[in-house]
Amino acid sequence: MKATGQEHPEAVLGIAGRFRIGGRAIAAVELRAGHINDSYVVSTEAGSRFLLQRINGYVFPSPARVMANIVRITRHLKRKLGPGSARNRLTLVSAVDGEMWTETAEEKRAADWWRMYELIEDTTTELRASTPEQAFLAAQAFGRFETQLVDLPPPPLYETIPGFHDTLSRFEALDRALASASDSVAGNDRRRQAVAEIRSVAGHRDLAARLGAAAAHDLPRRTVHNDCKISNILFDRTTGEALCVVDLDTTMPGLAAHDFGDMVRSMSHRADEDTRETSRARVDPELFTALAQGYLDGAGFLTATERRSLVDGALVLTLEQAVRFLTDHLDGNVYFRVERPGQNLDRCRVQLALLESLLARDADLRRVVGGATA
Ligand code: GN1
Ligand code: MG
């Protein structure tokens, strides 16, 4: 069963009180951001604010591993960035029992895991890049984040979602969703709504192998963020500076091309992920160029082979996300939170429109990445 849902405000305040927040929690306001976890901004009577999050246990089979990774990442960044860096990295707040999370068990539901961060004040988030400068700054920030993690002491981080960017197995999950959709009236309806999209992703299936095991032979496994969308960057409200990379749940071993691919998927065009105007999901050469320049500037460690893989990353990640939204539509929206029926199918349509436009400009994009100077 999906482990998300609205929590009673009193209950949220009670959970907040289990953390070391230096005073009584007096307000908790739900933040409708992201498709996965539940987030609340908690204020204390002393005037401090925190971000309280419930980790989605359906999506993350081992919240303990998610938290173990985040503890290591945040400590490493604190050491590395040094004094005065509190606005450039996330800071976990420990629970009163000394752990970095707390569990609540409800009837009929597996234990829920909650964690808390200090809130970084006076920041804004964006749903799409409005200018090439902003795209540059966001891509540079994700590139720097990877650079900061190059010397994370071993062992590698846990894979919090095994096979996260195994695009071939994402297609297999789609096959299973298609088969089980045929078992119910509602499933058949959802399948009928998606006939064109099912055909379209099938037509691109060969792309899924581009970054697969054989192709990845020369591509080093790095510690990457794995969710490089613009909404995972905090910008300074006054200066517009890209201050801090957030959402560390899927930071784990992966390919640089995955991260760059996600940036292109989410920032190289003028469409929100949730728009119904698919015509806006067209790659904008200026935004793409800014992303390539920003990322190469931030991620100075990339090898020539990795650099050549970046456009493939954009194609594969956009296709993969289309497949994931489509699969969830067919499954009845059990993974990505939706506000209205058909939303995951609409999200899939945006990804497919973008994919077509990336493919149409494939040669230009490779020239841009090849010519961009770090
Ligand atoms: C999910 O956590 P959130 O909502 O930022 C998803 C990403 C997708 C993204 C699409 C753990 O991210 O993989 O790319 O939605 N995270 C997980 O917006 O599946
Ligand atoms: Mg995420």
Side-chain angles (χ1 to χ4, degrees):
M1 154 124 191
K2 192 171 178 175
T4 60
Q6 270 195 321
E7 203 64 46
H8 194 277
E10 286 301 316
V12 177
L13 290 180
I15 295 161
R18 297 187 189 185
F19 289 88
R20 293 188 174 144
I21 52 177
R24 204 165 58 88
I26 52 170
V29 178
E30 190 176 4
L31 192 71
R32 302 294 285 178
H35 308 315
I36 307 285
N37 296 323
D38 298 330
S39 303
Y40 300 85
V41 175
V42 172
S43 313
T44 67
E45 54 190 352
S48 313
R49 299 206 302 164
F50 298 88
L51 184 71
L52 178 65
Q53 291 186 307
R54 171 172 32 206
I55 304 175
N56 183 323
Y58 177 85
V59 168
F60 295 104
S62 171
R65 291 186 163 201
V66 171
M67 291 313 298
N69 279 357
I70 295 179
V71 166
R72 286 181 59 201
I73 297 163
T74 50
R75 283 191 184 148
H76 179 75
L77 294 183
K78 181 175 183 184
R79 231 183 353 254
K80 191 134 188 144
L81 300 180
S85 63
R87 283 169 69 71
N88 302 113
R89 54 183 171 78
L90 288 174
T91 302
L92 280 169
V93 177
S94 63
V96 288
D97 63 6
E99 298 287 4
M100 299 312 260
W101 60 86
T102 189
E103 280 175 80
T104 54
E106 286 179 26
E107 231 188 323
K108 297 200 216 113
R109 194 153 72 185
D112 285 331
W113 283 57
W114 295 76
R115 61 157 176 246
M116 191 177 255
Y117 290 112
E118 290 177 6
L119 194 82
I120 303 180
E121 297 284 357
D122 301 318
T123 61
T124 56
T125 52
E126 306 287 335
L127 290 177
R128 58 171 181 269
S130 11
T131 60
E133 292 70 37
Q134 201 173 47
F136 178 94
L137 292 176
Q140 185 189 43
F142 281 123
R144 277 191 194 138
F145 177 80
E146 291 175 354
T147 301
Q148 288 154 3
L149 293 174
V150 163
D151 60 353
L152 181 77
L157 295 173
Y158 290 117
E159 281 195 55
T160 53
I161 301 180
F164 193 52
H165 285 314
D166 180 346
T167 315
L168 291 167
S169 73
R170 296 289 188 181
F171 268 94
E172 285 157 16
L174 173 62
D175 294 340
R176 287 193 296 277
L178 280 167
S180 42
S182 314
D183 295 343
S184 69
V185 175
N188 270 307
D189 275 352
R190 291 194 294 264
R191 193 176 166 149
R192 259 192 304 277
Q193 291 155 12
V195 168
E197 291 70 28
I198 294 166
R199 195 177 310 123
S200 171
V201 299
H204 293 303
R205 195 163 178 146
D206 57 326
L207 271 181
R210 286 262 178 115
L211 295 175
H217 191 62
D218 290 326
L219 298 174
R221 302 261 291 167
R222 308 275 189 192
T223 302
V224 297
H225 182 275
N226 276 316
D227 195 5
C228 290
K229 49 186 186 185
I230 194 160
S231 56
N232 281 333
I233 297 277
L234 303 182
F235 291 93
D236 187 290
R237 186 185 294 283
T238 314
T239 64
E241 183 193 347
L243 279 183
C244 182
V245 168
V246 301
D247 188 357
L248 308 177
D249 293 334
T250 47
T251 298
M252 59 183 168
L255 303 180
H258 295 153
D259 270 4
F260 184 71
D262 244 344
M263 291 176 221
V264 173
R265 188 187 76 66
S266 66
M267 290 189 255
S268 69
H269 52 87
R270 312 231 172 234
D272 293 0
E273 200 166 78
D274 274 318
T275 187
R276 282 162 144 159
E277 292 175 74
T278 48
S279 62
R280 296 177 77 90
R282 258 189 343 263
V283 60
D284 173 326
E286 277 190 56
L287 289 175
F288 181 87
T289 304
L291 289 174
Q293 288 173 341
Y295 182 57
L296 292 174
D297 185 67
F301 58 84
L302 294 179
T303 64
T305 322
E306 277 177 303
R307 198 171 155 142
R308 277 194 298 276
S309 70
L310 296 182
V311 174
D312 284 333
L315 302 176
V316 171
L317 265 282
T318 306
L319 173 63
E320 183 183 287
Q321 193 66 53
V323 169
R324 293 177 62 198
F325 284 143
L326 180 57
T327 304
D328 200 33
H329 166 75
L330 292 165
D331 282 341
N333 311 309
V334 291
Y335 189 102
F336 296 109
R337 191 196 332 259
V338 290
E339 313 283 340
R340 56 179 169 79
Q343 192 169 0
N344 274 317
L345 182 56
D346 288 338
R347 289 171 174 158
C348 167
R349 289 177 176 144
V350 170
Q351 301 301 313
L352 285 174
L354 178 65
L355 177 62
E356 295 302 341
S357 111
L358 292 169
L359 285 167
R361 287 188 169 263
D362 187 278
D364 296 340
L365 304 183
R366 285 176 204 275
R367 263 194 300 278
V368 169
V369 171
T373 45

PDB file of all heavy atoms in Angstrom, residues 227 232 247 250, ligand 2:
ATOM      1  N   ASP A 227      18.302  13.120  -9.663  1.00  0.00           N
ATOM      2  CA  ASP A 227      16.996  13.787  -9.793  1.00  0.00           C
ATOM      3  C   ASP A 227      17.258  15.267 -10.065  1.00  0.00           C
ATOM      4  O   ASP A 227      16.809  16.147  -9.327  1.00  0.00           O
ATOM      5  CB  ASP A 227      16.161  13.590  -8.524  1.00  0.00           C
ATOM      6  CG  ASP A 227      14.690  13.945  -8.737  1.00  0.00           C
ATOM      7  OD1 ASP A 227      14.310  14.246  -9.885  1.00  0.00           O
ATOM      8  OD2 ASP A 227      13.928  13.928  -7.757  1.00  0.00           O
ATOM      9  N   ASN A 232      14.845  21.053  -7.737  1.00  0.00           N
ATOM     10  CA  ASN A 232      15.720  20.549  -6.675  1.00  0.00           C
ATOM     11  C   ASN A 232      16.931  21.457  -6.434  1.00  0.00           C
ATOM     12  O   ASN A 232      17.935  21.026  -5.858  1.00  0.00           O
ATOM     13  CB  ASN A 232      16.163  19.111  -6.969  1.00  0.00           C
ATOM     14  CG  ASN A 232      15.061  18.117  -6.625  1.00  0.00           C
ATOM     15  OD1 ASN A 232      14.226  18.388  -5.769  1.00  0.00           O
ATOM     16  ND2 ASN A 232      15.044  16.971  -7.285  1.00  0.00           N
ATOM     17  N   ASP A 247      17.051  17.377  -2.101  1.00  0.00           N
ATOM     18  CA  ASP A 247      16.493  16.072  -2.466  1.00  0.00           C
ATOM     19  C   ASP A 247      17.600  15.055  -2.711  1.00  0.00           C
ATOM     20  O   ASP A 247      17.937  14.727  -3.855  1.00  0.00           O
ATOM     21  CB  ASP A 247      15.568  16.172  -3.689  1.00  0.00           C
ATOM     22  CG  ASP A 247      14.828  14.863  -3.952  1.00  0.00           C
ATOM     23  OD1 ASP A 247      15.079  13.885  -3.214  1.00  0.00           O
ATOM     24  OD2 ASP A 247      14.014  14.816  -4.887  1.00  0.00           O
ATOM     25  N   THR A 250      17.991   9.998  -3.836  1.00  0.00           N
ATOM     26  CA  THR A 250      18.489   9.082  -4.870  1.00  0.00           C
ATOM     27  C   THR A 250      19.945   9.379  -5.225  1.00  0.00           C
ATOM     28  O   THR A 250      20.432   8.909  -6.255  1.00  0.00           O
ATOM     29  CB  THR A 250      17.611   9.146  -6.135  1.00  0.00           C
ATOM     30  OG1 THR A 250      17.392  10.520  -6.478  1.00  0.00           O
ATOM     31  CG2 THR A 250      16.276   8.467  -5.924  1.00  0.00           C
TER      32      THR A 250
HETATM   33 MG    MG B   2      13.421  13.164  -5.973  1.00  0.00          MG
END
